[in-house]
Amino acid sequence: MRELAAIAVFALAVAAVPAFVTSGYALNVVIMTLYAALLGQAWNILGGFGGQFSFGHAVFFGTGAYAMAVLQVKFGWNAWAALPAALALGGAMGALIGALSFRYGLRGSYFALVTLAFAEVFRILANTFDFTGAGVGLMVPLAATAARMQFASPAGYLYLILGFVVAGFVVSWWLKHSRYGAWLQAVRDNEESAAALGVDVFGVKLRAIVISGVLMAAGGAFYVQYLHYIDPHIAYGLGASVEALLAPIVGGMGTVWGPLLGAALLHALGETTRNLMGDAPGINLAAYGVVLVLMVSFMPRGVMGLFQARGAARGSTHA
Amino acid sequence: MLEPSILLASALNGLTTGAVYALIALGLTLIYGVLHIINFAHGAALMVALYGVYYLHQRLGLDPYVSLPIMVPAMFAAGYALQRLVIGRASHGKEENVLLVTLGIAIVLENLALFLFKSDTQTIDTPYTFSTMNILGATISVPKVVAFAGALVVAGLLLLLVGRTDLGRAIRAIAKERQGARLVGIDVDHVFAMSFGIGLACLGAAACFLLPAYYVNPQVGNGFVLIAFTIVVLGGMGSFLGALLGGLIIGLVESIGGLWLGESLGQIGIFLIFIAVLLFRPQGLFGARA
């Protein structure tokens, strides 16, 4: 319950930010940090709590983004009607990929590779068909009204992304404290033992990838509403997949606060390198890569691991 | 219906491309077979090698084929150091960690290249870049034929190395039983780094054969990395013969698939094969175990 209270406090604090900060630049930093945290939360459900490392989470991101864009541009749907459809499609994509890969027992590196291959297939499809605007991408017409999920001021977008992130928090909290979450973590720690104890390994993993897909699709939907544009490379390229796994690895996999912490630290790092090195292309991504290598080498449990190590020393049993 | 002559030309083209793919995949499968790690930085390392060949040509005027004796040892040394100093230390004995570390290395290399060389696509001009020859009535570009022959020679050398030398025996011993190899006095960390070095040395050779008919930009490795994984998985992880045949098959699929579906959709065949093999036969066509 204390953790739920902390989540509520965090939500209220962020919601109050627009009352004190008016700079568009600062608000954009907050929004993009929350957005990175959301992608991280999505990946963390499957990768952190479930131990299934996906290298192709872009497949859910892109599906959410394209569903949002195509339904509005080609079918004239209202954004608020398109959003549930986008989330459902993200979940459906999770069910499809999960059913295929987990049914055939893919795990570890094989699972990482198959998710990457799915993302590539969809990138090529999106690049080919007019339906998705092919290589040119799709532009969502500007209409700065809340009725179309677009906002004249950054504050509107901040509330939108905050809503998604709070949902991600509640799901993570639930995974930490529910019976289902315990099954999922048992599967992560030792699949054979979990199965021997009667856990339905396939079903548990399948639910995790569906939830993860829905949340990742929310990230894609937000991207389209915020930046009004999507193309195959943004949607299904390696970039979104890497962004999703980076934050939880830096912050701490399988923890409630890890993705947000990681996203905040990475953004701080990104801003710092940009200030030091100028806006040279590539340099801040290169810094992210260095951080990834260093984290895995020296702090495999992420920044949250520092706090947990102290707890463990005091005799706490939770991981 | 397609003209048989077009089909033949396309098949020959596919085979020559496939041989270079095989060369790239051979390095990957060696690394996997011995270290049991999936080297995600393989494509980025190829990109680095291509830039090496490119700058040797631009700055020193070296022909790409003359660069072979420079690029192969250079890539070997880079690979040895990378495994010894970075990857080996980061693994903590978990394959997911290695996957993440090599992903991190790929991101670093790709973006440093973007920073240093800009995103422009570069090609080199050699007297033979556009020369062609006639095989069975089909026109094939000469650099591609050279690449085909070169890939086969390198593959042969690699098989000899692994099959006939002491190092090869140590490599096979470690691939089979790591603990046992250590017990009989094999320096496992050294052999790991040697394998990684040889894997990247293959890329050095591949880059020299590729560049006369190909291009380089910071993202060029991405296209190859999934194709190389596909070949390795198709052939059976760790199988040399599998990688060689897998490379040729994938080259054919890409080229003939492209003929029917257009260039952009043609690649989809590769990834669908990849997914299908991973799902239904993860031990590959020639691999013994999953």
Side-chain angles (χ1 to χ4, degrees):
Chain A
M1 278 303 133
R2 263 175 54 200
E3 226 162 3
L4 272 188
I7 293 167
V9 169
F10 162 79
L12 289 174
V14 176
V17 165
F20 301 103
V21 180
T22 46
S23 140
Y25 172 78
L27 286 178
N28 181 52
V29 169
V30 175
I31 289 170
M32 291 316 282
T33 306
L34 288 174
Y35 160 77
L38 173 65
L39 303 189
Q41 285 174 330
W43 189 89
N44 191 40
I45 290 168
L46 186 65
F49 287 102
Q52 312 299 315
F53 282 32
S54 151
F55 271 26
H57 247 52
V59 73
F60 310 123
F61 175 86
T63 301
Y66 268 116
M68 203 68 185
V70 168
L71 286 175
Q72 289 185 80
V73 175
K74 306 261 163 170
F75 295 89
W77 284 32
N78 179 281
W80 292 102
L83 178 65
L87 298 186
L89 281 171
M93 186 66 88
L96 171 76
I97 295 176
L100 282 172
S101 349
F102 298 143
R103 175 66 74 204
Y104 291 98
L106 291 191
R107 41 178 150 162
S109 314
Y110 289 91
F111 178 70
L113 289 179
V114 85
T115 52
L116 179 63
F118 271 110
E120 269 307 291
V121 166
F122 280 94
R123 188 182 62 76
I124 295 172
L125 288 176
N127 209 4
T128 309
F129 292 109
D130 283 337
F131 180 64
T132 52
V136 187
L138 279 179
M139 190 113 56
V140 177
L142 279 173
T145 149
R148 316 204 73 187
M149 212 192 282
Q150 294 187 24
F151 307 96
S153 85
Y157 288 107
L158 189 133
Y159 292 128
L160 183 62
I161 190 74
L162 180 62
F164 289 138
V165 168
V166 167
F169 265 126
V170 171
V171 171
S172 308
W173 177 84
W174 171 70
L175 287 178
K176 204 75 190 274
H177 294 94
S178 66
R179 172 157 299 202
Y180 169 71
W183 290 337
L184 184 60
Q185 292 173 67
V187 167
R188 170 193 68 193
D189 294 337
N190 192 327
E191 208 171 302
E192 283 76 18
S193 307
L197 289 172
V199 175
D200 168 19
V201 171
F202 174 74
V204 163
K205 288 204 256 186
L206 191 63
R207 275 164 80 182
I209 197 172
V210 169
I211 301 170
S212 185
V214 169
L215 215 51
M216 195 74 189
F222 176 81
Y223 185 96
V224 164
Q225 291 309 108
Y226 190 47
L227 296 163
H228 311 293
Y229 174 72
I230 193 72
D231 72 23
H233 185 72
I234 299 170
Y236 291 116
L238 193 58
S241 300
V242 169
E243 196 165 4
L245 64 81
L246 214 46
I249 286 169
V250 170
M253 283 183 279
T255 65
V256 174
W257 293 92
L260 178 72
L261 192 61
L265 289 172
L266 284 166
H267 262 267
L269 174 77
E271 293 297 313
T272 315
T273 47
R274 193 166 303 148
N275 285 339
L276 288 177
M277 309 289 296
D279 233 347
I283 200 71
N284 58 342
L285 272 175
Y288 283 8
V290 172
V291 168
L292 179 55
V293 174
L294 291 178
M295 289 306 295
V296 176
S297 305
F298 300 110
M299 286 169 70
R301 291 168 61 196
V303 177
M304 286 297 285
L306 294 177
F307 306 115
Q308 287 172 342
R310 239 179 28 199
R314 269 188 276 127
S316 153
T317 47
H318 89 234
Chain B
M1 255 331 276
L2 288 163
E3 291 277 323
S5 64
I6 298 179
L7 205 59
L8 177 70
S10 167
L12 285 176
N13 247 313
L15 283 177
T16 53
T17 315
V20 179
Y21 287 165
L23 196 50
I24 298 164
L26 277 171
L28 197 62
T29 209
L30 172 71
I31 293 171
Y32 181 83
V34 182
L35 287 85
H36 295 282
I37 66 174
I38 290 190
N39 176 26
F40 212 79
H42 212 64
L46 175 68
M47 177 272 297
V48 170
L50 283 167
Y51 268 111
V53 178
Y54 173 75
Y55 278 105
L56 283 174
H57 180 267
Q58 295 303 99
R59 295 287 154 82
L60 303 177
L62 287 183
D63 185 276
Y65 300 139
V66 179
S67 299
L68 265 170
I70 303 173
M71 285 314 295
V72 172
M75 289 303 288
F76 170 80
Y80 189 95
L82 205 57
Q83 163 63 22
R84 204 83 214 225
L85 302 177
V86 182
I87 300 172
R89 290 179 179 201
S91 68
H92 303 296
K94 284 176 71 182
E95 72 171 323
E96 283 88 355
N97 283 344
V98 179
L99 201 56
L100 290 173
V101 166
T102 53
L103 173 68
I105 293 170
I107 297 171
V108 172
L109 291 178
E110 192 180 302
N111 288 288
L112 276 183
L114 188 63
F115 178 64
L116 295 172
F117 309 132
K118 307 295 173 246
S119 58
D120 308 330
T121 293
Q122 312 279 7
T123 54
I124 58 172
D125 254 335
T126 56
Y128 47 81
T129 296
F130 294 108
S131 51
T132 57
M133 62 193 280
N134 209 311
I135 298 174
L136 302 172
T139 311
I140 304 281
S141 104
V142 170
K144 286 197 144 185
V145 176
V146 175
F148 181 77
L152 292 185
V153 169
V154 174
L157 288 175
L158 204 58
L159 284 175
L160 278 180
L161 176 81
V162 173
R164 295 293 155 93
T165 63
D166 277 350
L167 175 66
R169 260 184 283 279
I171 286 177
R172 280 180 290 141
I174 290 177
K176 278 219 173 70
E177 179 52 58
R178 189 175 295 189
Q179 242 3 302
R182 208 187 287 275
L183 282 174
V184 298
I186 296 173
D187 182 351
V188 173
D189 292 330
H190 171 71
V191 176
F192 274 3
M194 290 297 280
S195 311
F196 206 90
I198 296 168
L200 292 209
C202 291
L203 295 179
C208 294
F209 291 128
L210 262 178
L211 200 60
Y214 208 68
Y215 59 87
V216 57
N217 64 34
Q219 277 89 36
V220 72
N222 290 341
F224 285 101
V225 78
L226 258 181
I227 292 175
F229 279 133
T230 308
I231 293 165
V232 168
V233 169
L234 182 67
M237 292 222 184
S239 158
F240 291 110
L241 193 63
L244 198 57
L245 291 178
L248 297 177
I249 293 173
I250 291 299
L252 276 177
V253 167
E254 184 187 41
S255 149
I256 293 179
L259 207 57
W260 263 308
L261 301 170
E263 192 149 339
S264 130
L265 265 185
Q267 282 227 321
I268 246 180
I270 298 178
F271 301 122
L272 292 180
I273 288 183
F274 186 46
I275 293 170
V277 174
L278 274 177
L279 293 177
F280 302 112
R281 203 178 156 78
Q283 73 271 38
L285 299 180
F286 306 95
R289 68 200 147 73

